[in-house]
Amino acid sequence: MKNRNKITVALFGILLFGISISNQLISAKDFSEVENRQLKQMPKLTANSLFSGTFGKDYETYLSDQFIGRDQWISLKTTSDRMMGKKEVNGVYFAKDDYLIEKHTKSELDSAQYKKNIKRLKTVTNTYTKLLGNGHVKVMFAPTASAILRDKLPKSAPKDPQDEILNDMKNSAKKGTFIDLRSTFKKEKEEYIYYKTDHHWTTLGAYYAYVDWAKSMKITPIPMKQWKREVVSKDFLGTVYSKVNQAPSADTIEFWTRKSGEKYEVIYDMGQKKSNFLYERSYLKKKDKYSAFLDGNHALTVIKNKKVKNGKKLVIIKDSYAHSFAPFVANHFEEVHLIDLRYFNMGIKSYIKQQGITDFLMLYHVMSYAKDIHTIQLTK
């Protein structure tokens, strides 16, 4: 028995040693296509980083991100946890009807940043209403699946914080600027408004949001029957899937185009890239299929609709939820300017004046705006 235990310990030691050596020999990866994010690189060792403790934390993240066979280990852990009867793995619920639903709690928020972001909503809605006029400024924060599809979650799932957060946002925003999507999404929750493996809304979900936005703007929304709906993928596995590397089923992606025809020019990052299409089909062959909507993340995306001549220009301060939403609103403006605060270095107010913007929309999913560390740019 003692010899058997020694052999087991020796084999385990050899395995750990082998993994450690392999991690050192293999070049660090910059990007994970499965997780669709940048991976942590080897941190620089300095006296300050060492004694402050930041080097240790960064090195731990680096080891985790660069661990050999990382994707396979994630899948193995998911299998193990599910065999033990767990309904939540790595912050993801294995919910009813094949949904993988990302868990959200208020503890994931930085309290100080959250308070700043709520306060800035008041400043932003007041400032831009003075600049553009009443009725031309709107803010819309999309609830995620965990807030709307509550009946699909395990009974043990804790209370979702998004209702409380949305109420804080609504109370902070200038009266008449806040678009509350909750009633519409709860009404339509049995439809396919959220992807089952991704944190975004589907094109149908984005359409329902567009209808609510249009009504708030006193614009007649284009009826669903006037759109051609094209299924372009049936094997989409999104960001929530990437946290567990398992999914009961894949998602379907649809592109919606006007039956009457479209004529656009899309300009990315001040002309670094140009296109005549709102959808970039090359991404459908990749893991990150959601980037087919407006070519993914850019600091600035400008959509020019060559069929509209009304002098109206809309700016959307946004996260990636806006990428599947913008093709709908682009039918009502000569230009739609989408700005991602993470990459955009100009002052928003000066940009609006410079470009002759007539209308303003802020569009994020709830938790994204609540945690955004770049909102200070909205006040410049």
Side-chain angles (χ1 to χ4, degrees):
M1 182 65 74
K2 288 183 179 180
N3 288 335
R4 186 180 299 173
N5 289 339
K6 289 179 180 178
I7 292 172
T8 302
V9 171
L11 289 174
F12 185 69
I14 291 170
L15 176 63
L16 288 180
F17 180 74
I19 291 174
S20 178
I21 293 298
S22 298
N23 281 333
Q24 298 300 320
L25 293 176
I26 295 175
S27 299
K29 296 181 179 179
D30 293 324
F31 186 81
S32 170
E33 189 173 350
V34 171
E35 297 177 72
N36 190 30
R37 68 177 180 87
Q38 296 293 328
L39 297 175
K40 184 72 175 178
Q41 300 302 297
M42 180 68 178
K44 186 176 181 180
L45 178 60
T46 65
N48 183 56
S49 67
L50 179 63
F51 292 110
S52 68
T54 58
F55 176 81
K57 291 179 182 179
D58 289 345
Y59 187 70
E60 185 178 348
T61 304
Y62 162 75
L63 287 179
S64 176
D65 276 8
Q66 301 295 340
F67 196 83
I68 187 171
R70 173 183 168 83
D71 297 336
Q72 290 72 27
W73 286 109
I74 290 173
S75 183
L76 183 62
K77 182 182 182 301
T78 299
T79 299
S80 175
D81 286 348
R82 296 201 70 198
M83 287 177 65
M84 291 189 291
K86 292 184 179 181
K87 296 291 186 180
E88 178 206 333
V89 179
N90 198 24
V92 175
Y93 294 114
F94 280 79
K96 295 178 183 177
D97 300 327
D98 292 348
Y99 275 86
L100 299 177
I101 297 180
E102 197 169 25
K103 178 182 178 181
H104 290 295
T105 62
K106 202 155 187 185
S107 63
E108 69 190 75
L109 302 179
D110 178 289
S111 179
Q113 185 65 52
Y114 173 68
K115 289 177 181 177
K116 288 179 183 177
N117 290 347
I118 295 299
K119 186 176 180 180
R120 281 172 186 156
L121 266 183
K122 184 175 183 178
T123 302
V124 166
T125 51
N126 279 311
T127 297
Y128 292 112
T129 297
K130 287 180 181 178
L131 181 64
L132 302 174
N134 289 324
H136 293 276
V137 175
K138 301 293 178 181
V139 292
M140 185 164 66
F141 300 101
T144 70
S146 63
I148 301 299
L149 307 182
R150 297 294 299 174
D151 56 336
K152 298 188 186 299
L153 296 178
K155 292 181 180 179
S156 59
K159 180 182 178 182
D160 190 276
Q162 292 181 66
D163 270 333
E164 181 183 346
I165 294 170
L166 280 165
N167 289 337
D168 287 345
M169 292 173 169
K170 189 173 185 177
N171 292 333
S172 181
K174 179 179 172 61
K175 187 176 180 180
T177 63
F178 188 88
I179 302 172
D180 195 336
L181 296 173
R182 283 175 286 186
S183 60
T184 294
F185 273 54
K186 287 175 181 177
K187 179 183 176 183
E188 308 295 348
K189 67 179 183 179
E190 297 305 319
E191 295 197 54
Y192 188 45
I193 59 174
Y194 291 104
Y195 292 114
K196 295 186 175 185
T197 70
D198 191 74
H199 71 286
H200 294 100
W201 53 23
T202 62
T203 316
L204 178 62
Y207 175 79
Y208 285 129
Y210 152 72
V211 170
D212 277 8
W213 166 85
K215 290 177 178 178
S216 77
M217 294 284 291
K218 295 181 171 53
I219 291 173
T220 302
I222 300 167
M224 195 178 295
K225 64 182 179 181
Q226 292 185 20
W227 296 90
K228 176 186 175 183
R229 298 170 61 172
E230 178 189 3
V231 175
V232 294
S233 176
K234 293 183 178 180
D235 59 355
F236 175 41
L237 296 171
T239 55
V240 186
Y241 160 83
S242 297
K243 288 188 170 186
V244 292
N245 271 10
Q246 289 185 18
S249 61
D251 275 302
T252 296
I253 294 178
E254 287 186 346
F255 290 167
W256 290 32
T257 53
R258 290 289 302 279
K259 289 182 179 179
S260 59
E262 302 168 316
K263 196 171 182 181
Y264 297 113
E265 180 183 16
V266 187
I267 304 167
Y268 298 103
D269 298 328
M270 303 289 189
Q272 290 186 23
K273 178 178 178 178
K274 294 184 179 181
S275 174
N276 294 320
F277 304 100
L278 300 178
Y279 305 111
E280 295 295 328
R281 293 175 182 265
S282 61
Y283 286 98
L284 298 174
K285 298 177 182 179
K286 302 177 182 179
K287 167 67 171 61
D288 181 22
K289 291 178 172 57
Y290 188 78
S291 285
F293 295 98
L294 285 178
D295 200 55
N297 295 317
H298 290 271
L300 175 66
T301 302
V302 179
I303 304 169
K304 295 185 177 183
N305 189 328
K306 297 181 180 180
K307 287 191 172 184
V308 176
K309 302 294 180 183
N310 59 11
K312 295 169 65 176
K313 298 181 181 181
L314 172 70
V315 67
I316 303 178
I317 310 298
K318 56 83 183 178
D319 67 8
S320 54
Y321 264 58
H323 298 176
S324 53
F325 173 87
F328 297 111
V329 301
N331 290 272
H332 303 283
F333 295 87
E334 286 190 12
E335 296 179 9
V336 175
H337 297 235
L338 296 99
I339 293 176
D340 191 324
L341 295 179
R342 293 173 298 176
Y343 315 115
F344 192 77
N345 296 319
M346 293 178 62
I348 303 301
K349 192 172 182 179
S350 60
Y351 182 83
I352 285 176
K353 290 179 178 179
Q354 181 188 92
Q355 296 296 321
I357 300 296
T358 60
D359 294 271
F360 176 100
L361 171 65
M362 187 186 297
L363 172 56
Y364 286 76
H365 80 70
V366 177
M367 303 304 292
S368 175
Y369 179 79
K371 294 187 283 187
D372 195 344
I373 61 174
H374 302 92
T375 55
I376 186 64
Q377 288 180 249
L378 292 165
T379 63
K380 296 178 179 180

